[in-house]
Amino acid sequence: LEILVTILNMNDNSPVFKQMNLTEVVPEDTKVNTTIVAREDLSASDADLDTISYELTTIVPGTDGYFAIKGVNSPEIYLQKALDYEKFKFTTLVLYARDRPVGSIDTTNTATITINIFIEQADTKSPWFLPCTFINMENNICISSPYTGRINISEMSTEPLILEPGPIYAIDPDYTLNEKIVYSIVGGNTDNAFSVDADTGNLTMNKVATSPDSYLLQVMATQVNNIQKYSIVSVEIKVINKSDYPPFFESRIYYGTVFVGLAPRSFVFHAGDTSSPLMITAADDDFPNV
């Protein structure tokens, strides 16, 4: 008597990854659809020779949607959405491998691998002149205001000019890189009247101003490592007559009279002369004829 025995394969083995944890460093400027972790590093094996189904999840709140797998049977991880170092610098992914499709009523064995993703800041932003004001919630766009200063006509100053709201100063907003910045005047420097120190941004005079016309300079801040990373700010220098004397009030004390029941914005009159509105005046010896 010949007896044939067929051995049926039971689903008694779980999928197995090559490793339990994986760490990847991803530059901030990585292009969308770039492969982050290759399929070979994430494929699980199964002694039962079952078809493996994969699912990728994100653990860190606010970081989902950036990474995805190619397909339910292809665990290759790729970048799905552009990164921003200001939004998050680290996330953790968990890749599930199952030997039955999701939703199957059959007994399913599962394995997991944890992928730690560190975001590396890239040189993506041009310099910011300070102070500046953020205009969006992500704080990745900062708009600076023009600088202003004053010089006396026909007078030479050898010291750096005092500007408002402060000295010319720019930073690299990619702060972990903090690339060196140099300064130059690229416009408005009539007769080469001013110079800017390339390293400090200090603005100095080359010659005296002989007319009351203002100067509107264009100062550029450029990264040394990449001249295409630059910003330009306006610097207005007003030319004024020299002031040797402070203004002064023509009287130390003024006396006035008001009447009960007057409406707001009514005149205050001179004490003792209710027909003459009280006037407070100041003078300046720099302008004797004004």
Side-chain angles (χ1 to χ4, degrees):
L1 179 64
E2 184 178 312
I3 300 175
L4 298 177
V5 178
T6 301
I7 307 300
L8 299 178
N9 188 16
M10 290 185 60
N11 185 21
D12 55 354
N13 292 285
S14 296
V16 177
F17 284 106
K18 295 178 182 178
Q19 51 194 329
M20 299 297 294
N21 294 278
L22 191 64
T23 298
E24 293 289 337
V25 177
V26 182
E28 176 189 12
D29 58 352
T30 299
K31 295 187 180 300
V32 172
N33 293 324
T34 299
T35 297
I36 305 301
V37 186
R39 177 174 182 169
E40 300 78 49
D41 296 328
L42 297 173
S43 295
S45 59
D46 188 345
D48 298 319
L49 302 180
D50 293 316
T51 299
I52 306 298
S53 297
Y54 298 92
E55 180 186 6
L56 185 67
T57 62
T58 305
I59 293 179
V60 180
T63 63
D64 51 335
Y66 287 89
F67 301 94
I69 56 175
K70 289 290 187 178
V72 66
N73 300 122
S74 177
E76 176 183 324
I77 297 177
Y78 71 98
L79 184 63
Q80 185 172 243
K81 187 167 64 173
L83 298 170
D84 186 345
Y85 187 80
E86 304 299 330
K87 291 184 177 179
F88 71 96
K89 303 169 180 59
F90 171 80
T91 189
T92 298
L93 311 175
V94 176
L95 181 65
Y96 292 86
R98 300 183 176 91
D99 57 10
R100 292 291 184 272
V102 175
S104 173
I105 61 174
D106 296 334
T107 300
T108 303
N109 297 310
T110 303
T112 62
I113 179 174
T114 300
I115 304 102
N116 297 307
I117 304 288
F118 290 89
I119 310 303
E120 181 181 64
Q121 190 169 35
D123 192 7
T124 60
K125 299 182 182 69
S126 297
W128 290 347
F129 282 99
L130 299 183
C132 64
T133 303
F134 292 109
I135 62 172
N136 61 346
M137 295 297 293
E138 292 77 15
N139 289 347
N140 55 14
I141 301 176
C142 203
I143 303 300
S144 60
S145 300
Y147 295 93
T148 59
R150 298 186 300 176
I151 58 173
N152 295 324
I153 193 169
S154 301
E155 183 174 296
M156 184 71 177
S157 174
T158 58
E159 298 295 323
L161 300 184
I162 298 175
L163 304 176
E164 295 292 340
I168 297 172
Y169 180 62
I171 63 167
D172 179 4
D174 300 312
Y175 53 87
T176 62
L177 304 177
N178 195 26
E179 298 291 350
K180 179 177 174 58
I181 292 172
V182 293
Y183 305 90
S184 59
I185 300 175
V186 295
N189 195 12
T190 305
D191 297 328
N192 195 32
F194 300 93
S195 294
V196 65
D197 188 284
D199 296 318
T200 66
N202 285 336
L203 189 66
T204 53
M205 297 178 64
N206 291 332
K207 58 182 65 175
V208 298
T210 57
S211 72
D213 297 332
S214 296
Y215 294 86
L216 188 59
L217 308 176
Q218 302 295 314
V219 176
M220 181 170 67
T222 310
Q223 289 184 194
V224 172
N225 70 319
N226 185 353
I227 62 173
Q228 293 183 336
K229 291 287 192 302
Y230 69 89
S231 294
I232 295 177
V233 71
S234 296
V235 182
E236 182 182 13
I237 304 298
K238 297 179 180 179
V239 181
I240 62 173
N241 290 316
K242 184 177 181 180
S243 179
D244 292 320
Y245 305 98
F248 61 90
F249 289 104
E250 295 182 337
S251 177
R252 293 186 59 189
I253 302 176
Y254 291 85
Y255 296 95
T257 299
V258 294
F259 298 99
V260 176
L262 286 179
R265 304 182 68 84
S266 296
F267 283 120
V268 177
F269 294 93
H270 275 287
D273 184 2
T274 56
S275 64
S276 177
L278 178 64
M279 297 182 64
I280 299 175
T281 58
D284 190 332
D285 287 338
D286 287 313
F287 306 95
N289 298 322
V290 177

